[in-house]
Amino acid sequence: MGIFVGGGGSVRGYGYQRLGPFDPNGDPVGGRSLNEFSIEARYRFGNFGIVPFFDGGNAYESSLPKGSDLRYGAGIGVRYYSNFGPIRIDVGTPLTPQPGDSRIAVYVSLGQAF
């Protein structure tokens, strides 16, 4: 397997690689396919910005992704547009939480998401 979903680069609100198949010990093993989407509204004022977002997706054991079992996350981010790229801070929450998911996840990064 090897396709992982969850975290700041995919479905914000969930922990890193916490969506998709798991082994009996509860460790992520990755899938063979995925569904993933993200919608953002970026508003910039000077060197700062605000970004509400809505993400969704999941990884699957099958070679073709399913249209079911999607997990959703939403939140808001702030941006500081520096000379070397935007500094991003996103705060997300899982809208379809699973047992053990945190209520809030914070992501800090440098550069554009896409």
Side-chain angles (χ1 to χ4, degrees):
M1 305 235 178
I3 298 175
F4 295 91
V5 177
S10 60
V11 183
R12 292 167 284 188
Y14 293 90
Y16 179 66
Q17 298 183 349
R18 299 308 299 172
L19 296 178
F22 292 90
D23 68 14
N25 295 326
D27 298 319
V29 295
R32 296 178 60 205
S33 63
L34 69 87
N35 278 338
E36 205 174 82
F37 71 87
S38 181
I39 299 170
E40 293 186 348
R42 297 178 183 182
Y43 178 72
R44 184 174 177 166
F45 45 97
N47 287 337
F48 296 92
I50 190 163
V51 180
F53 60 85
F54 178 73
D55 300 339
N58 208 342
Y60 306 96
E61 292 177 356
S62 62
S63 59
L64 292 174
K66 302 176 186 178
S68 61
D69 298 326
L70 290 175
R71 302 288 180 203
Y72 302 98
I76 193 158
V78 294
R79 306 289 185 265
Y80 172 68
Y81 297 96
S82 70
N83 291 334
F84 54 87
I87 298 170
R88 305 170 42 215
I89 301 172
D90 293 333
V91 178
T93 187
L95 300 179
T96 48
Q98 302 173 97
D101 285 337
S102 297
R103 296 192 70 172
I104 294 177
V106 178
Y107 311 96
V108 179
S109 60
L110 175 64
Q112 289 292 356
F114 50 87

